[in-house]
Amino acid sequence: MGLRERLAGRRVLVTGVTGFVGEALLERLLSDFPDTAVVALVRPRGSHSGAARLARMMRKPAFRGLREGLGAAGVAALLAERVEVIEGDLASMPDLPADLDVVIHCAGEVSFDPPVDEAFTTNVGGVAELLRALAAGGARPHLVHVSTAYVAGLRSGHIAEGPLAHDVDWRVEWDAASRVRQQTEDASRAPECSARFRAQASRRFAAAGAQTVSAEAERLRRAWVARRMVTAGGERAQVLGWTDAYTFTKALGERYLEDHHGDLPLTVVRPSIIESALRRPFPGWIEGFKMAEPLILAYGRGELPDFPASPDAVVDIIPVDLVVNAILAAAAVVPPADTPAYYTVCSGFRNPLLFRDLYAYVRDYFQADPLPRRGRGTFAVPEWPFAGAAAVEAKLRRSERLVGLAGRALEHAPPSDRVRRFAGELERAESRVGFLRRYSDVYRAYTKAELVYVDDATGALHAAMDPADQAEFGFDPACFDWRHYLQDVHCPAVTAVLRRPRDPAPPRRLSGRLAAGDGVLAVFDLDGAVASATVIESYLWMRLADASAPRRVRELASLAVALPRYVRAERRDRGHLMRSVYARYAGVDPAELERLVVEVAGDILLRRVKPAGIRRVREHRAAGHRTVLLTGAVEVLTRPFAPLFDDVVAARLEVGADGLLTGRLESSPLVGDARAAFIDHHARVLGADLGVSWAYADSQSDLPLLRAVGNPVAVNPDLALHQVARGAGWPIEEWASAAGEPRLVVGDRRERGLRAAAARAGAAALSSRPGPGTGPAGVVVSGGGR
């Protein structure tokens, strides 16, 4: 009897149907087993039901043959006729139907470095929940459990099929993993850890305010917990003789099934490293990156100079369609309930691939057809010396130290295009080094375990098939040549996406007309977004405008002494910087400031305007958006820009009883978190929707403001903001100032008079500008004009 006939009339439940093996298995069942009904356990996701997710799966490349043969309507009809979807997951399943004949359990945690408690919940708890749901529904199917060959653990030599030889108690280890989570969570909240997280967050985001620092500190805490849970799983696994938490918990999942399957026939299928398809659904088909693909791509890009593996070690790789065929063959042969069957689906025993041969085939492939390097020719691949794990680890540590030193040096670099470009290159270097570290750690244990998996039972299962089935559903690993598979099937499939002609990348810069709409704010920071100006520069423009030479020297000398303190304040507390600089205005006549803005500073500020920023403001106004200038600059300096904005939010200096400035602000400056709080309040007063509003700023201190709106834009960002914007996918704009920025020290009176004439043109518009509106004490909220 052929394989189709053995499974005809059967109802087969498949878990993990949206995963790599599950998807290939579903395609095979739907395409080649017309008399077999499928029950699919699918977890709903978001607004998509399990049935909707399965229907969307039919659009994927694996089902291209079905679509071409049946059409979209035919595929929908096929699903309706032959597939029943049950919604649920490994954590919570409904009671399963009583008429199931076969259960193929493909679902599980497949990451090599999961947090240990999550690995237990999925790989042990998942099979426990499956058995519970089967018992509750009254089903007595043949249970086929898809495990991994690597449950054999850290051993050497030939590994036979059969039950695992160990005495590890899954109950004790599962309970311990749960306690580790609680212990780690408790440790992360200890005072010394909290202080460390807060200090790390403050070093990076102090200027953004306390709320941003707190959020970053909590993110660091959670990341620390996750790393500790991953480390705990790996260490415990290796103590007990497994490579990592993945193989450890898969092995204990097998033991749970052996202890609890009762009178259900049990078959355990253990594939080795599953890679792209040899033939079905088509040669080279693969979903996502598996174990070898990241390394192949990294090598093809010249980023993998060596690997900690023995050149004569066996690399056990098996194409996914051979695994699927073996699962179906195993499902058709029901073992006695008291004697589970074990099948290892592998290549290392009958068709071994040595690591040096894998390297040679892949190297030859890339040398003959190197990967394109965008705009710069092609990548050259390195020659591996196979220097050994110790040498590879030493190189990796040197790279990590160099990247760390470069990162610390970059923290103190002033913002510029060149610094941002270097920061981007450093991010890529950090990513490469991080990639090498992760995969070096993951693979180190695997390369130490020099195993050869024996597949005698699997070979006998294949030999017992009809010759026609062997040809159509075969899984003999000796049926293909490694050079052909790697160079003609696998590597072309893995690298196809990098070789495909790419459309131009979506512009990171903004373009096109803004959507018109009411209730939209467009908030602009003055310094950095609209003009190139700082509180220190604006102070100098006004203080040095009419100063004598000796006074200019004294003022500059005094400022030079204070400058290091100001730089530190800028990085850690922008509000303190503003208070320190504005204290220098003590004793100044406000009327004199007004005159200097009209005659000197206003003109200088207008010449430092960024034309792209002004155009952007006008675009927002044309779209009917309410434009807001939000700045820490003193109100008098914003007057040349007031006609462009509906609201101007600026700082106000206190005037003393003698009519002179005291050097104090009327209230705390709007910086960091205060900006976000203010704009939230302002939006509520105006009935605006921050979810569709815009904000433009250049500094990490503006992160709370940018995060408060639905459309944040980083303009000429400093390094910290640039990194956040890149990570979040925010648009990054480079807006240049108008040609010829002025010097800080004002020239002769004739030159000054020419500049003053230009400034008066802008200042003249102020005469009809509405007066200040209601705002926080010390902050002027002025209504501009359209």
Side-chain angles (χ1 to χ4, degrees), residues 555-602:
E555 191 68 43
L556 290 172
S558 172
L559 189 64
V561 171
L563 197 58
R565 185 172 73 252
Y566 291 164
V567 170
R568 290 192 298 271
E570 169 74 15
R571 288 178 175 156
R572 306 194 68 81
D573 187 346
R574 189 170 176 81
H576 178 67
L577 168 69
M578 293 168 63
R579 290 185 178 96
S580 299
V581 173
Y582 290 153
R584 290 175 169 269
Y585 286 94
V588 173
D589 185 345
E592 180 67 8
L593 279 186
E594 296 273 0
R595 181 186 70 80
L596 291 173
V597 168
V598 171
E599 294 187 359
V600 180

Side-chain angles (χ1 to χ4, degrees), residues 211-227:
Q211 292 298 312
T212 300
V213 169
S214 295
E216 175 66 7
E218 177 62 10
R219 187 195 68 79
L220 291 170
R221 185 196 70 80
R222 290 173 179 166
W224 182 85
V225 169
R227 289 193 302 272

Side-chain angles (χ1 to χ4, degrees), residues 150-155 166 168 234-244 247-248 449:
Y150 288 91
V151 292
L154 292 167
R155 298 165 62 188
H166 69 80
V168 178
E235 292 295 335
R236 184 58 183 163
Q238 293 193 32
V239 162
L240 294 174
W242 281 275
T243 51
D244 49 36
T247 57
F248 174 42

Side-chain angles (χ1 to χ4, degrees), residues 643 762-771:
L766 301 178
S767 60
S768 60
R769 181 171 55 84

Side-chain angles (χ1 to χ4, degrees), residues 14-39:
V14 181
T15 70
V17 74
T18 59
F20 181 41
V21 173
E23 185 176 333
L25 181 61
L26 178 64
E27 187 277 333
R28 198 67 156 145
L29 285 168
L30 294 180
S31 299
D32 298 304
F33 292 81
D35 299 320
T36 302
V38 177
V39 181

